[in-house]
Amino acid sequence: MINFQKPLKNKRLFVTFFLFAALLFAQATSFAQVNITFPLSRIVFQRSNANTATFVVSGTYQQGIPERVEASLVPMAAGQGTETSWQLLEANPIGGIFSGTITGQGGWYKLKVRVIRNGQVAEQTETERIGIGEVFVVAGQSNARGLQNYGAPSANDDRVNCFNFLNASFETNELPEPNFAHLNSDSYIAPYGYSAWSWGKLGDMLTNRLNVPVLFFNAALEGTTSRAWRESTTGWATNPYIGGTYTNQLPYSQLRVTIKQYASLTGIRAVLWHQGEADTQFFLSEGEIVSNLQQVVSQSRNDSGHDISWMIAKVSYNARTESAVINAQNRVIQTTHNVFEGPATDNLQVPRPDGVHIQGQALSTLAELWNASLTQDFFNRSQPQAPVPIPIVKIGCADNGQVKLTVQGNFSSYSWNTGWNEHIFNTGPGSYRLKARDAAGNFLFSPTINISNKTFEALPKPNQPTIIAKSNLVICAGDKAELTVQDASGFRWSNGATSQNIFIGDNQAYRVQIKDQNGCWSDFSAGVSAVVNPVPEVPTVVAKGPLDFCADASVELEVQGATSQATNRSIEWSSGQKTGTITVNTSGQYAVRAMNQYNCYSSYSTPLRVTVHPLPATPSIVASGPLRFCEGETVTLSANTPLTTIWNDKVSSQQLKVAASGSYQARTRDALGCTSLPSPEVKVEVNPIPAPPKITKYSPFTLEATGEYLPNIQFKWTYGDKNTITTDNLLKAVDAGKYSVTAFYYIDDAHMCASPASDDYQYILESSVSQIAVYPNPSTDGAFSVESLNNIENANIYVVDATGKVIFYQYLPSFTKSQPIKVTDLPSGFYMLRINGSRFPAVTQKLWVIR
């Protein structure tokens, strides 16, 4: 097993110098003819699974602005692709450069570009060997990288390509821009492939089978374990052969820079992985190898920002085979998304001359094994990544003898060969080159932009503008006319203005230049001027009253001599009226102007300021208590204002004490003498006090309050420490003693008006009267009234004659007051009254009828 070693830098320096010199030669092409600056010969763009690719075409042309630039693809040989029609790259390109995209099917092409002027082909050029096909990045260890002088066969098909460059210094951040070449037996395959190895032969097989060109990049490094690949995805990897660590975060750093710089430019079909010999040598476990490979696959996808397909060969032979290594590789193939099974190479050329490396004819066999694994099913199911469009730089006009360079597209960073890091800037003559990074960190170079005097000749000049008057150009002295010009990106007027519209007030001629969207200025327009007419004298205004008053007053303003104005002169107030006299009742400044026969207005007269003081706020009345109350009471009315209050336009006081019914309003007066509108009306209602009642005896057990009262009157009886309220004027008195009564009525739920108390009445419960009283007794007509001292529930009232016959009966659920009994048609004589009830023993009373 060959240990890790670092090749010499000399060859890389030579190749770099050669590429740089070639690039300078290409950039030196003048504008004398059309020239293609991208793509370079032998580049291969990754095709889609639909067998198509779209890529950028850019270049330069001679001075002047063409109508359009077109491109087409023509197969290098019959059957090696499908010729396209002419496709538009860019219409009316400016600044001597053009760019656009072209789409074609898989094949090996001449890229033709032509410039159209006046409907004719003016210039035409072509670049040979532009490919749409398959791009692979090789990774792994020495049987992937290859070695010199091991019998590596050259690719015979012209369509098999590489970038013949060796990154001898293991640069990790940026590699030279690729200059593609045919893959010969001793070619390097950038960035670290050391020979054609088996890849040239595989390229022949693929181009023969797929009939599309093939491009290889190679990031493999000899003597590397899967552990070293995994460790270097995030840091420094251990070198088990010589101790210490690999330099420059090898080996993964070469795969990272290849993906970010080369695979982003061309697109990629898949990473072809051949590694495992070192894992066998250092006895890595199956589980670790699975984890290592999955991490490397995942990191490659993170770094590219795409789901890159992988094909993993089954490799362990290092003087012996190791099943753990093969098992791990199978597990990764079977369990990892978008990873495909590669060739099994352990049985190839066993034993091997040096114990590890495949040599001689076996390299062709190795190519056959890879070809057998790259099946049509793989091409159907793998996920090719399209090329990332290179940065497109557009040239536009700028002031002060400069041009503006603008980068199209979205990139995360910009780095120019001059040190600038912006996507737009102004500059002068020179050569400019951009390196830009996209959101995934992939970086691409723009073609070199050469700025010279001929660049300015190829910038468009807008047509001479025409000034448009947006208002009448016949104006009055002091007024302005508005001039405008068509929409543009910038404007320069002869008076120094830079807006699209200007206003002029004199008879000078005005001209304008316009700038288009490319920053280019036109010639000056023709001049435009205005006609300025005179204005009349300023009139005078007089006031016919005070100019300071309350809002309920007004003042007249009059134009002096308004009634004698000439017929060719009219007036107009600042408030809009057109009469000689106006009536004003609103604060403000009032002025008037005159108009002459040219319809020109004078300036406004010196304004008269009218101050109209607002009326105080209309007050609200607040009452200290109810607005309905009894005679003898009062309510105090207050207005909710600190200002002077005037009640019913008569009384001036902050408060008003009211004792009589009526309606009340309040106004307020401020310090300026302005009086408010009247408040909402408040109505006060004073209710009379009832006359004191008199007490008389209504019946043996009932007292009566007498007097003339309305039906809503109630009575409050007081005797001893007791009170009884009745809704009629009668009270059953069951206790002897002193009684008094008050008449009252409610004016609302909480307020009543009551009379003074009556004189005391001494009620005597007659001892001769039992609990039942009958009156009149005797009766001349058989009509009696029966009254019980105590209330009787479920009372039964009987009247029986001398024989015991019941001649009258009445049932009362509640016997509480005097009850009439009428036993008519009875002969004179004595009868017996009997009463009983619940919890009331029967009592009898004699009735006497006299006819």
Side-chain angles (χ1 to χ4, degrees):
M1 184 70 180
I2 294 179
N3 288 339
F4 167 81
Q5 60 185 351
K6 186 184 295 183
L8 296 177
K9 298 181 180 179
N10 294 345
K11 188 170 184 178
R12 182 207 179 202
L13 293 174
F14 173 78
V15 172
T16 303
F17 176 81
F18 174 80
L19 293 176
F20 182 71
L23 185 60
L24 288 179
F25 178 78
Q27 293 169 356
T29 302
S30 72
F31 283 90
Q33 60 183 1
V34 63
N35 181 53
I36 298 173
T37 57
F38 185 84
L40 301 177
S41 178
R42 287 193 174 276
I43 192 171
V44 177
F45 294 106
Q46 176 60 51
R47 62 176 179 162
S48 69
N49 283 346
N51 192 37
T52 62
T54 299
F55 56 89
V56 172
V57 177
S58 64
T60 61
Y61 61 88
Q62 68 180 13
Q63 66 268 28
I65 302 173
E67 294 172 12
R68 63 186 184 275
V69 179
E70 300 174 333
S72 70
L73 295 172
V74 178
M76 289 290 298
Q80 290 188 351
T82 302
E83 182 174 351
T84 70
S85 59
W86 287 100
Q87 299 180 33
L88 176 66
L89 291 179
E90 187 172 3
N92 305 120
I94 63 173
I97 63 173
F98 64 85
S99 61
T101 59
I102 188 170
T103 300
Q105 296 186 359
W108 192 230
Y109 295 103
K110 293 179 182 179
L111 171 63
K112 294 188 174 185
V113 171
R114 67 184 185 182
V115 175
I116 307 299
R117 301 177 189 275
N118 300 318
Q120 302 294 322
V121 176
E123 299 99 28
Q124 183 165 315
T125 190
E126 64 182 40
T127 296
E128 294 187 339
R129 296 180 176 86
I130 302 298
I132 297 176
E134 297 295 335
V135 180
F136 298 98
V137 175
V138 176
Q141 56 185 104
S142 52
N143 276 322
R145 181 193 182 200
L147 298 169
Q148 293 283 354
N149 303 316
Y150 269 56
S154 172
N156 293 319
D157 196 308
D158 183 51
R159 295 172 290 177
V160 182
N161 304 278
C162 69
F163 173 24
N164 186 7
F165 166 75
L166 182 68
N167 184 20
S169 65
F170 304 115
E171 173 59 46
T172 61
N173 295 319
E174 181 180 322
L175 300 177
E177 184 180 11
N179 191 7
F180 301 99
H182 183 260
L183 181 52
N184 298 322
S185 62
D186 61 348
S187 295
Y188 295 129
I189 306 177
Y192 204 61
Y194 207 53
S195 75
W197 204 239
S198 62
W199 308 115
K201 189 65 174 179
L202 174 60
D204 283 347
M205 295 176 182
L206 291 174
T207 55
N208 180 63
R209 177 158 62 94
L210 303 176
N211 195 30
V212 293
V214 176
L215 173 64
F216 290 101
F217 297 106
N218 194 326
L221 188 62
E222 71 268 19
T224 51
T225 63
S226 63
R227 179 184 299 163
W229 279 90
R230 186 260 304 163
E231 290 176 340
S232 61
T233 61
T234 57
W236 300 92
T238 303
N239 186 339
Y241 291 97
I242 62 175
T245 58
Y246 291 94
T247 63
N248 291 26
Q249 287 190 266
L250 293 172
Y252 181 76
S253 61
Q254 296 303 290
L255 179 58
R256 176 186 287 117
V257 73
T258 301
I259 288 172
K260 286 187 173 295
Q261 183 171 346
Y262 295 154
S264 62
L265 178 69
T266 62
I268 180 176
R269 168 63 70 173
V271 174
L272 304 182
W273 176 264
H274 192 285
Q275 185 275 335
E277 300 94 328
D279 290 357
T280 296
Q281 181 176 354
F282 292 100
F283 302 99
L284 269 64
S285 69
E286 178 181 332
E288 182 189 352
I289 296 171
V290 170
S291 177
N292 292 340
L293 293 183
Q294 288 179 334
Q295 174 63 29
V296 174
V297 171
S298 176
Q299 190 62 42
S300 72
R301 293 169 177 172
N302 290 339
D303 286 332
S304 70
H306 300 289
D307 186 14
I308 294 179
S309 301
W310 278 62
M311 177 170 282
I312 295 179
K314 293 177 286 184
V315 182
S316 71
Y317 186 81
N318 190 345
R320 65 182 178 85
T321 59
E322 178 56 58
S323 61
V325 177
I326 301 300
N327 291 342
Q329 293 162 349
N330 280 325
R331 284 174 58 187
V332 174
I333 293 167
Q334 294 165 5
T335 62
T336 308
H337 164 71
N338 201 21
V339 173
F340 297 85
E341 182 178 5
T345 64
D346 277 359
N347 295 327
L348 178 61
Q349 199 179 25
V350 176
R352 295 174 186 170
D354 64 3
V356 177
H357 297 105
I358 303 166
Q359 303 179 29
Q361 183 58 39
L363 291 174
S364 295
T365 306
L366 176 60
E368 292 172 355
L369 293 175
W370 275 107
N371 184 50
S373 296
L374 293 166
T375 63
Q376 188 58 47
D377 179 67
F378 162 77
F379 286 106
N380 291 338
R381 293 195 298 117
S382 60
Q383 299 178 16
Q385 304 304 319
V388 178
I390 65 171
I392 300 301
V393 180
K394 295 298 183 184
I395 298 178
C397 294
D399 292 330
N400 303 320
Q402 293 186 317
V403 295
K404 179 171 67 176
L405 300 185
T406 303
V407 182
Q408 294 186 332
N410 294 320
F411 296 95
S412 61
S413 68
Y414 305 86
S415 178
W416 292 87
N417 60 332
T418 58
W420 297 315
N421 56 9
E422 301 293 335
H423 77 288
I424 298 178
F425 62 89
N426 295 345
T427 187
S431 294
Y432 304 96
R433 186 79 182 282
L434 169 70
K435 180 182 75 176
R437 287 184 180 269
D438 64 13
N442 301 313
F443 59 90
L444 303 103
F445 288 94
S446 73
T448 297
I449 307 300
N450 292 307
I451 306 300
S452 68
N453 289 335
K454 291 186 177 181
T455 303
F456 294 90
E457 297 174 12
L459 292 173
K461 180 183 290 187
N463 294 330
Q464 184 182 35
T466 300
I467 296 176
I468 301 170
K470 293 191 69 175
S471 60
N472 197 330
L473 289 176
V474 178
I475 61 175
C476 301
D479 288 345
K480 300 291 184 180
E482 185 177 6
L483 304 181
T484 189
V485 69
Q486 65 262 38
D487 286 340
S489 296
F491 311 90
R492 289 194 300 215
W493 293 85
S494 54
N495 65 346
T498 57
S499 57
Q500 184 175 6
N501 296 4
I502 65 169
F503 295 86
I504 63 173
D506 54 34
N507 56 6
Q508 299 297 315
Y510 290 83
R511 300 181 300 149
V512 68
Q513 286 178 294
I514 61 171
K515 183 171 67 173
D516 65 13
Q517 70 274 13
N518 299 314
C520 300
W521 289 99
S522 72
D523 293 330
F524 269 107
S525 69
V528 172
S529 58
V531 175
V532 183
N533 288 317
V535 298
E537 294 181 356
V538 179
T540 302
V541 179
V542 294
K544 301 180 72 175
L547 295 176
D548 189 303
F549 49 85
C550 297
D552 53 357
S554 62
V555 65
E556 284 189 352
L557 304 181
E558 183 179 80
V559 179
Q560 283 188 341
T563 56
S564 61
Q565 294 290 334
T567 56
N568 64 346
R569 190 166 181 263
S570 63
I571 56 176
E572 181 181 73
W573 292 87
S574 56
S575 51
Q577 299 94 326
K578 295 184 179 181
T579 58
T581 302
I582 61 172
T583 300
V584 175
N585 57 9
T586 304
S587 291
Q589 294 193 103
Y590 292 84
V592 71
R593 62 180 180 175
M595 183 180 72
N596 63 16
Q597 66 270 28
Y598 303 111
N599 291 326
C600 290
Y601 285 96
S602 70
S603 298
Y604 276 103
S605 63
T606 301
L608 295 181
R609 177 175 291 278
V610 174
T611 301
V612 179
H613 299 290
L615 301 182
T618 302
S620 297
I621 296 176
V622 179
S624 63
L627 296 175
R628 295 183 66 206
F629 52 85
C630 301
E631 183 180 358
E633 299 177 357
T634 62
V635 66
T636 299
L637 304 182
S638 303
N640 61 337
T641 175
L643 300 177
T644 300
T645 305
I646 303 170
W647 300 93
N648 288 2
D649 295 328
K650 296 178 181 179
V651 179
S652 176
S653 65
Q654 291 300 109
Q655 295 182 329
L656 182 67
K657 190 173 183 180
V658 177
S661 296
S663 296
Y664 297 86
Q665 286 182 311
R667 296 176 184 263
T668 59
R669 179 176 294 141
D670 61 19
L672 298 173
C674 297
T675 303
S676 73
L677 296 174
S679 69
E681 191 176 71
V682 170
K683 290 186 178 182
V684 175
E685 180 182 329
V686 180
N687 294 273
I689 297 296
K694 294 182 179 180
I695 299 176
T696 60
K697 189 172 184 180
Y698 177 78
S699 66
F701 303 132
T702 301
L703 299 179
E704 180 181 22
T706 60
E708 294 184 1
Y709 301 108
L710 296 174
N712 63 339
I713 289 292
Q714 300 183 55
F715 298 91
K716 180 180 179 181
W717 301 83
T718 301
Y719 47 99
D721 57 357
K722 298 179 181 179
N723 292 300
T724 300
I725 293 176
T726 63
T727 57
D728 59 21
N729 62 336
L730 300 177
L731 173 72
K732 179 186 284 187
V734 297
D735 297 314
K738 187 182 295 183
Y739 284 77
S740 66
V741 66
T742 299
F744 69 92
Y745 62 92
Y746 285 96
I747 58 176
D748 55 41
D749 291 341
H751 196 188
M752 69 178 182
C753 294
S755 70
S758 67
D759 293 338
D760 290 339
Y761 179 86
Q762 188 67 40
Y763 172 64
I764 300 173
L765 185 62
E766 298 179 13
S767 59
S768 61
V769 179
S770 66
Q771 290 185 348
I772 300 298
V774 180
Y775 59 92
N777 194 11
S779 169
T780 59
D781 58 359
F784 300 90
S785 291
V786 180
E787 187 175 8
S788 173
L789 178 63
N790 298 306
N791 296 334
I792 303 174
E793 301 299 324
N794 298 313
N796 297 292
I797 302 175
Y798 301 87
V799 176
V800 298
D801 59 13
T803 65
K805 178 181 177 181
V806 176
I807 58 176
F808 175 87
Y809 172 76
Q810 184 176 10
Y811 169 75
L812 295 175
S814 179
F815 184 13
T816 59
K817 62 182 180 179
S818 177
Q819 183 64 35
I821 296 175
K822 192 167 186 178
V823 285
T824 57
D825 300 329
L826 291 180
S828 298
F830 290 97
Y831 298 88
M832 189 64 64
L833 171 70
R834 185 174 62 188
I835 300 174
N836 63 20
S838 298
R839 295 184 300 278
F840 185 80
V843 296
T844 59
Q845 188 80 296
K846 182 184 293 182
L847 301 181
W848 188 8
V849 177
I850 300 176
R851 298 284 186 185

